[in-house]
Amino acid sequence: MGDLQSLRVFINCLDQQSLPRILQVCSGVYFQGSIYELSGSEVCLSTGDLVKIIGLQLLSVSCEEIDTGASYELPTDYSGQFRLVAEDLPYNTIEEIVGLCPVGVDACGSFIFTSREELTIENFTVPAGKELTLLSVEAADDGERLARCHVLGQNKASAEILLPLSLKGEFYEYESDRGFNLQEIMSSARLSCRRFRNTNMKNCGALMVFSPVYEISAIMHMRKNVVKFPSSLEVDVQDVTEKLQDLVFITPLSLTEVASQSKESFPTMAEILDSPEGDLFFNSSWFKELQSGRQLVLHQCGHTTMILASTPKGRKGKQYYFISDRYGGRMRRRAREFGSVYELYLASCQSPGLKVSVTRHSEAEEEEGIPALSVGEQLEVLRMDGLKDKSGAAQKVESLICKRTIEVDDEDEEEDEEVDSEEISLPLFMAGHFVEKLADNKKYKLTDLMKSSLPLDVKVVTRDKDLEKDPLMGLTSIKLEETFTETIVLASLSNKPDLCFELPVRWLQMSLCFTSDHLPWSSDEPPELHIETVTEVTEKFYYEYHKLISKTEEPPPRPPKRKPSNSKAPKKSHKPKNVLPNVSSNVTKQLDDLALHQTKGKRAPAPPPPDDTPDQPPPLLPRKSISIAESTSMPNMYVTGPTKARNAARRLSDSDHDYEDIKDTFNQPHESLFY
């Protein structure tokens, strides 16, 4: 077990050739993002967590000023140059230089030093202050260790000399003016631990040291992807690789990831880590068993064709199912009912040659172009057509052309002139009551019905024998709406491995992990599987499914707007008693127009005075008249009293007078209602 140290120090000293390494977080809590976020770019480290490091990648460079302690990060592609600062302390022997400084030549050169005193090696003399470049360490024949150095002589002549490591003197590192970028500094083991100054500053620039910041790729418990986090996290870690070499990290998998596994991975055991979340879409018994910690047997994965079905609204409300194409029951078609011509049109698009029977009378409306229909008439949908409406011109009404067949009685069949079929035009907005005519009474398999045009109304007449209880048996009617293909994982409970159910990948948000437990059967061959092929779903699933496939049905067409007709009705000669109701309605209209102190519409002008009236003020009349006969007030010529009007209407209803006499009667002046 390793020593306790910070994550930064451990990573900087780590030899990448020794990966992978298992670390345990010993102190500190660092949080970045959410522990439930499984994107692979966020991580939560807590005390006691185990992390398996599998890779390192240089992310950035941390720069720290020695004098002030300020630190900041620079990107690896930073273009600035830094100058190496030589150490002030002298080296006493060549062996000390070799022991403290990396030996060798890399892309950034090698260690360069000078001697304060003149050096004489055999017949070769090195002047004091001459630069020596340390190249390598070698061993002589007698076992003595020697340092091979490069020296530049006069006239730029170069030579290599061997200096014994035991050679004593006062040696100093040579400080050159060469600049290094960050990539050169980080790639050199000799430079990565040295001090530098920025070349853009003068000698008074701050001393700084660089340390790499790596992006650590690691595996953690309960994380489905490789997590990545920087090595600059302020946590203490301990290397526990030797102690936990056989540790297996649990990797959670979604159903989508399970379905993407190879066929050789099945059958296998799995454990539910997180039960299904979100909206509850299923009412089946197996759905309630999907709880955290439950063991499942995963038999296989693949694609299956299903059909969405619904029932009419009953005491339990409307029920919804999706049925697998493995369903073994038998069904018999039921006649569909339609409540409008538009529904007939939609059904005929799926089933050409649709035949229906009229189940309710409907009267004709000539203005709307609606023909009369009677119970028992047979209609066969022929085609669509566009007709001009009755009002005139550009507006068109989409209509359904149908062939109407009337079932005539025996008495009518003797007449040769009787026509038993004709083409009629039914506007799409027309309401009606129709029932489909079926040509057969066969029992169908579900796979046969799925080849037909949907939707279809059926009734299950023979149950699926592989099911303990067929939920479709006993339902009065089932509407098969549409088919769809679903990716499924075939699973069963560990205590009932032969009773299987299909987990639809798209509709279950859950996670599980593979385990090394043994399969719950003793023989090499799995038991005979019984698959639950009918799954009851909720109304929420039904509408979410239609949202997912973006299926929007257009509303039925609206009837055309009626335009007011300017043409007058032709005059017809009728007997007076046929006109009396119209006259009575005119009288009633006059009574409705009466109001206290006001008349309807614009007030009529006053009558002109008589020609023989002198230009004098009228005589004063008494305030109260003794009788109506003595009153000299002029009768009101413009208001008809309601009593007189009602009496006149009553007399008119009982009389057989001629229409002209009646009109003269109503043109006579009536006394005013007000006295």
Side-chain angles (χ1 to χ4, degrees):
M1 185 177 291
D3 297 331
L4 185 65
Q5 52 188 326
S6 67
L7 179 63
R8 179 196 294 269
V9 173
F10 176 84
I11 296 299
N12 289 345
C13 301
L14 178 64
D15 182 8
Q16 297 193 30
Q17 300 298 325
S18 65
L19 295 179
R21 309 296 295 180
I22 299 177
L23 304 182
Q24 184 177 22
V25 180
C26 296
S27 63
V29 176
Y30 188 90
F31 177 78
Q32 178 182 350
S34 171
I35 191 172
Y36 302 107
E37 179 61 43
L38 303 180
S39 64
S41 60
E42 296 176 347
V43 65
C44 174
L45 294 180
S46 302
T47 302
D49 286 351
L50 294 174
V51 181
K52 185 177 184 179
I53 299 176
I54 59 175
L56 298 175
Q57 183 178 359
L58 185 62
L59 185 64
S60 61
V61 178
S62 176
C63 178
E64 181 181 357
E65 295 183 358
I66 297 176
D67 298 336
T68 62
S71 63
Y72 49 89
E73 290 190 7
L74 297 175
T76 56
D77 57 352
Y78 180 72
S79 59
Q81 298 286 318
F82 301 92
R83 180 168 51 86
L84 179 65
V85 177
E87 299 292 341
D88 296 334
L89 298 177
Y91 298 94
N92 298 321
T93 61
I94 299 298
E95 187 177 9
E96 188 177 350
I97 295 175
V98 172
L100 296 178
C101 301
V103 178
V105 180
D106 54 21
C108 301
S110 184
F111 184 77
I112 303 175
F113 63 98
T114 60
S115 176
R116 194 168 186 178
E117 299 175 354
E118 185 180 78
L119 297 177
T120 302
I121 306 299
E122 296 181 352
N123 297 328
F124 192 82
T125 302
V126 179
K130 197 63 178 178
E131 300 137 11
L132 296 169
T133 302
L134 182 61
L135 299 178
S136 63
V137 176
E138 301 177 2
D141 295 339
D142 56 359
E144 185 181 9
R145 299 182 66 196
L146 303 173
R148 181 177 291 275
C149 300
H150 177 272
V151 61
L152 190 63
Q154 295 179 354
N155 299 325
K156 297 184 179 180
S158 60
E160 292 183 0
I161 60 174
L162 295 173
L163 301 178
L165 298 187
S166 59
L167 180 64
K168 295 182 179 180
E170 192 175 347
F171 307 103
Y172 292 89
E173 183 181 2
Y174 175 77
E175 183 172 342
S176 67
D177 295 332
R178 178 184 174 181
F180 302 93
N181 58 36
L182 285 180
Q183 292 184 354
E184 292 174 332
I185 295 173
M186 290 295 102
S187 62
S188 174
R190 179 177 63 89
L191 299 179
S192 60
C193 57
R194 299 298 301 277
R195 299 179 301 170
F196 292 84
R197 293 183 190 272
N198 197 327
T199 57
N200 296 330
M201 300 180 182
K202 297 182 180 180
N203 292 337
C204 59
L207 290 174
M208 57 186 67
V209 292
F210 300 107
S211 59
V213 178
Y214 290 99
E215 184 180 60
I216 302 174
S217 298
I219 299 174
M220 296 180 64
H221 269 305
M222 305 303 296
R223 299 298 296 266
K224 69 168 61 177
N225 298 325
V226 174
V227 296
K228 297 181 179 180
F229 53 92
S231 61
S232 57
L233 301 186
E234 297 296 333
V235 293
D236 294 334
V237 296
Q238 190 175 23
D239 191 348
V240 293
T241 306
E242 302 299 329
K243 181 181 178 181
L244 303 174
Q245 286 184 351
D246 299 330
L247 179 65
V248 177
F249 286 82
I250 296 177
T251 303
L253 300 173
S254 65
L255 282 181
T256 304
E257 293 169 328
V258 171
S260 63
Q261 302 293 320
S262 61
K263 294 183 179 180
E264 292 74 17
S265 303
F266 302 96
T268 184
M269 296 295 297
E271 180 181 346
I272 299 177
L273 299 177
D274 294 320
S275 57
E277 299 177 354
D279 297 315
L280 301 180
F281 291 140
F282 304 94
N283 284 334
S284 298
S285 58
W286 56 260
F287 181 75
K288 302 174 184 178
E289 302 291 340
L290 302 181
Q291 302 297 328
S292 299
R294 192 66 186 263
Q295 295 285 330
L296 295 179
V297 182
L298 306 183
H299 297 272
Q300 62 182 17
C301 61
H303 302 277
T304 184
T305 302
M306 296 185 176
I307 190 165
L308 184 64
S310 61
T311 64
K313 191 172 183 180
R315 289 181 299 175
K316 295 183 179 181
K318 205 168 182 180
Q319 294 174 283
Y320 305 93
Y321 301 90
F322 62 71
I323 310 170
S324 173
D325 58 356
R326 297 188 180 98
Y327 181 75
R330 298 298 181 96
M331 303 176 178
R332 184 173 287 150
R333 291 189 56 183
R334 287 178 57 91
R336 290 175 288 177
E337 295 182 0
F338 307 99
S340 66
V341 177
Y342 182 70
E343 293 180 13
L344 281 182
Y345 163 68
L346 295 179
S348 65
C349 293
Q350 302 292 333
S351 304
L354 177 67
K355 295 182 180 180
V356 296
S357 177
V358 181
T359 59
R360 186 178 298 184
H361 290 288
S362 61
E363 297 182 357
E365 296 184 16
E366 295 184 1
E367 294 183 358
E368 304 290 349
I370 298 177
L373 298 176
S374 301
V375 174
E377 293 180 348
Q378 311 297 319
L379 301 179
E380 180 181 356
V381 180
L382 300 179
R383 63 186 183 276
M384 272 284 296
D385 195 7
L387 299 177
K388 291 184 179 180
D389 65 351
K390 299 293 183 181
S391 61
Q395 187 179 7
K396 290 186 177 181
V397 179
E398 291 184 331
S399 301
L400 198 64
I401 305 300
C402 300
K403 180 181 178 181
R404 174 166 61 180
T405 303
I406 304 174
E407 295 182 357
V408 296
D409 298 334
D410 295 339
E411 298 178 358
D412 297 335
E413 288 180 354
E414 297 177 358
E415 300 180 6
D416 297 336
E417 298 180 358
E418 183 69 24
V419 179
D420 59 354
S421 65
E422 61 177 342
E423 287 191 6
I424 60 173
S425 176
L426 304 178
L428 290 189
F429 60 82
M430 174 182 172
H433 297 272
F434 313 96
V435 63
E436 183 181 13
K437 289 193 67 178
L438 298 178
D440 60 65
N441 198 24
K442 290 172 55 178
K443 295 180 181 180
Y444 292 92
K445 295 180 180 179
L446 182 63
T447 52
D448 297 333
L449 293 175
M450 292 170 70
K451 299 175 184 177
S452 306
S453 299
L454 299 179
L456 291 176
D457 289 351
V458 298
K459 177 180 173 62
V460 176
V461 293
T462 305
R463 71 178 188 89
D464 187 349
K465 297 179 181 179
D466 289 339
L467 300 179
E468 293 183 359
K469 182 179 180 182
D470 191 342
L472 303 182
M473 193 67 188
L475 296 177
T476 57
S477 178
I478 304 171
K479 184 177 183 180
L480 306 180
E481 299 191 6
E482 55 188 307
T483 60
F484 58 96
T485 302
E486 196 69 45
T487 303
I488 59 97
V489 175
L490 189 63
S492 63
L493 301 177
S494 58
N495 57 341
K496 299 177 181 179
D498 58 327
L499 300 180
C500 301
F501 44 86
E502 296 173 331
L503 300 176
V505 170
R506 186 166 44 165
W507 301 100
L508 285 176
Q509 302 298 325
M510 58 183 293
S511 62
L512 41 81
C513 67
F514 293 152
T515 64
S516 57
D517 297 340
H518 295 289
L519 294 171
W521 53 76
S522 56
S523 61
D524 296 336
E525 293 295 329
E528 182 181 357
L529 302 181
H530 302 278
I531 302 175
E532 188 170 344
T533 54
V534 181
T535 303
E536 184 177 359
V537 296
T538 61
E539 186 179 17
K540 181 72 174 176
F541 172 89
Y542 181 80
Y543 290 108
E544 287 295 329
Y545 169 78
H546 286 289
K547 285 183 184 178
L548 185 64
I549 63 174
S550 301
K551 182 179 179 182
T552 55
E553 295 184 357
E554 296 183 358
R558 303 172 106 187
K561 294 182 179 180
R562 295 185 179 181
K563 295 184 179 179
S565 178
N566 296 328
S567 59
K568 295 182 180 180
K571 294 183 179 181
K572 296 182 180 180
S573 59
H574 294 284
K575 293 182 179 180
K577 62 181 180 179
N578 295 334
V579 182
L580 287 178
N582 296 331
V583 177
S584 178
S585 63
N586 291 336
V587 175
T588 306
K589 185 176 184 302
Q590 293 181 19
L591 293 176
D592 293 339
D593 291 342
L594 291 178
L596 191 62
H597 296 299
Q598 64 181 2
T599 58
K600 205 169 188 180
K602 198 172 182 180
R603 177 178 296 180
D611 296 338
D612 56 349
T613 303
D615 190 11
Q616 295 180 358
L620 295 176
L621 299 176
R623 194 174 292 273
K624 291 184 178 180
S625 59
I626 300 174
S627 64
I628 298 177
E630 296 178 357
S631 176
T632 59
S633 60
M634 297 291 294
N636 193 331
M637 305 290 293
Y638 307 100
V639 179
T640 304
T643 305
K644 278 200 169 194
R646 283 195 297 270
N647 293 338
R650 189 180 300 111
R651 288 195 302 270
L652 288 173
S653 63
D654 297 331
S655 68
D656 293 329
H657 289 78
D658 189 74
Y659 176 74
E660 296 297 331
D661 296 336
I662 297 171
K663 185 169 66 174
D664 294 339
T665 302
F666 280 95
N667 287 338
Q668 293 180 3
H670 300 277
E671 287 191 3
S672 174
L673 177 66
F674 308 102
Y675 297 101

